[in-house]
Amino acid sequence: MRIGELARRTTVSERSLRYYEKQGLMTAERTPGGHRDYPEGAVDRVIRIQELFAAGLCSEKIAQLLPCMRDADGGPSRRANAQLVSDLTTERQRINRMIDDLLRSRDVLDEVIATASEAVEPPAR
């Protein structure tokens, strides 16, 4: 599939797809005319890359991680190593700290909303 179709199917910009290729996160064959031609599996690959970016991983870490993720047949890849597992554990701990911080912020906001709501409620008749 061409880059435009992949962009539409994944809602990722063509510019981002070119960036992913430049960073080694994905590859495309080239047509005789020089256009990128992505396999069907590129849709899942782009979605996975987006999920990893959303988790806060940088492109360098994603490039290390992608070959270690489950293979197309669903079986685990054998390319993982102890350093990658350690790095990913650290990333998970960072994400957990962010979640804890967000939950605390939400609790504070809930208190402020409750207090403000009491102040603006009309008096009972």
Side-chain angles (χ1 to χ4, degrees):
M1 86 187 76
R2 296 280 175 88
I3 193 169
E5 181 181 349
L6 182 58
R8 280 188 298 281
R9 290 178 61 183
T10 59
T11 67
V12 172
S13 71
E14 291 181 21
R15 182 177 180 178
S16 292
L17 295 173
R18 286 191 218 62
Y19 173 78
Y20 296 168
E21 191 172 339
K22 184 177 180 181
Q23 296 298 307
L25 304 178
M26 56 189 306
T27 59
E29 299 291 322
R30 295 290 181 153
T31 66
H35 297 282
R36 288 171 174 84
D37 187 25
Y38 293 96
E40 186 63 32
V43 172
D44 291 334
R45 167 66 61 115
V46 170
I47 291 168
R48 177 148 299 159
I49 291 168
Q50 286 287 292
E51 291 169 344
L52 294 169
F53 273 128
L57 276 70
C58 66
S59 59
E60 182 180 337
K61 187 62 64 185
I62 293 171
Q64 293 172 350
L65 174 63
L66 283 172
C68 302
M69 297 181 85
R70 293 198 172 269
D71 292 333
D73 66 0
S77 172
R78 293 186 173 96
R79 298 176 78 179
N81 61 40
Q83 183 61 50
L84 181 64
V85 171
S86 175
D87 291 348
L88 293 174
T89 300
T90 299
E91 287 294 329
R92 187 176 193 285
Q93 291 167 343
R94 181 188 62 78
I95 290 169
N96 282 338
R97 285 191 302 274
M98 290 174 57
I99 290 169
D100 291 342
D101 290 345
L102 286 169
L103 289 171
R104 279 191 296 277
S105 295
R106 184 186 66 187
D107 290 345
V108 168
L109 186 58
D110 285 346
E111 289 176 23
V112 171
I113 290 170
T115 301
S117 294
E118 292 171 7
V120 297
E121 287 181 11
R125 292 182 183 191

